[in-house]
Amino acid sequence: MRYLLDLKNIFSRQLPKMPKEYIVKLVFDRNHESMVILKDNSKVIGGICFRVFAEEKFAEIAFLAITATEQIRGYGTRLMNKLKGKR
């Protein structure tokens, strides 16, 4: 739960025009899943929130954000590749 709260805060900070209530609604919605990136196995530095539609073989990405200090290091690309099933 702590990781989800940290991720919600990152989304809010990195996506300032997105309503905070909408971010909270999707991050904590049971239909949505989230993956986080941890630095030093403890600090959340980014993540992705998505919803899978298995029957349609489709996934909707709601949010993807990395903290400002960790950007341009390939973390967003790694998240997308992991979501797509690539290594």
Side-chain angles (χ1 to χ4, degrees), residues 27-59:
V27 169
F28 293 102
D29 178 23
R30 294 193 182 269
N31 293 319
H32 285 77
E33 299 179 44
S34 295
M35 283 193 294
V36 298
I37 294 182
L38 297 176
K39 188 168 189 176
D40 300 325
N41 287 327
S42 62
K43 182 181 179 194
V44 177
I45 61 167
I48 187 169
C49 178
F50 60 96
R51 182 174 178 181
V52 175
F53 297 90
E55 289 183 19
E56 293 84 2
K57 297 181 182 177
F58 175 78

